[in-house]
Amino acid sequence: MNNKIMGITAGRKNSNSEILLKEALLQCQKQGAEIRLVNLRDYHIEDCIGCTTCTKGMSQGKNVGCVLDAKDDKKKIMQAMLAADGVIFSAPTYDLIVCATFLRFAQRSLSYETSFLETIGAIPHKDRVAALIAVGGSTRSWMSMSLESMQAAMFTTDMKVIDMYLATRIPAPAQCLLHDDMIARAGLVGSHIIKAVRTSAKSRTWLGDKDMGWCPNCHSNALVLGEPQWDGLHFPVECQVCGAGGTLEQMENGKWKFVIQDNGLSRDRTTVSGRAKHLEEIKCTQGGFFADSENMKIVREKLKKYANLKIKGIE
């Protein structure tokens, strides 16, 4: 049976993000895969309205889906995406992070949280792989959170990222076509996806650029100072993307590296078990709030001040 590889882009038609994605998909097709391409700009995706219906259901052990699924194309795209063996995403960057078109799609995915749905038996487990291509007009300095913001969308649907490519300094439409090395690197993304899906899940490894990023776990380039989490767990330094915890250590050559502690992957967002810890947090913080009638009473009373406050806007 042919591998099914899906490409999802938030880029403009026939411009850099779509071109690089198509090149990656062509390499997959050359190796016998069945390919499919979705440009999010061709579909209607509603913004997440923050109603918390899906997480309320999760805190009660129920799969309630998303209240917007009947109003747009999100569910249709998700059903095809979750049936694929591998997915390649591409998106442009306009200012530090990827564009709103990608983020709008990504932020509607919480109701598809696989660690929850698998736990309650709503869906079977499926090992998926993903690769990311971020495109921008400047150097990494102005694309500093591009790949990281894309990575953040991979956790809920249990996508193991095996390669990432940051295509820089191509601000004009289709400018990537002047750079044969960019086209070749995009093709390599496709080859890496095929290699990954044809490797057993337990044996899959990072196939992208060696030593990419600060974090040896997810290869992101974003670290933050740690702070106590909801249950008191604390690491001096954390990976902003996968949540790995550890410290910075200086090597003999004077350079610094991020060293993950022994329990530093206990909240690893790239794993089902790690994300399940967040579901515990949701159950404690949100579930606890709605279960406490006295808290609800206090909030309803105090809310009157703000609900009745009318402030003039613009015309």
Side-chain angles (χ1 to χ4, degrees), residues 110-123:
L110 184 56
S111 62
Y112 294 89
E113 170 57 70
T114 54
S115 63
F116 163 70
L117 295 176
E118 289 175 17
T119 298
I120 67 171
I123 61 171

Side-chain angles (χ1 to χ4, degrees), residues 39-52:
N39 190 312
L40 295 175
R41 295 174 185 243
D42 293 333
Y43 299 85
H44 174 59
I45 307 292
E46 293 273 337
D47 286 317
C48 174
I49 58 176
C51 69
T52 70

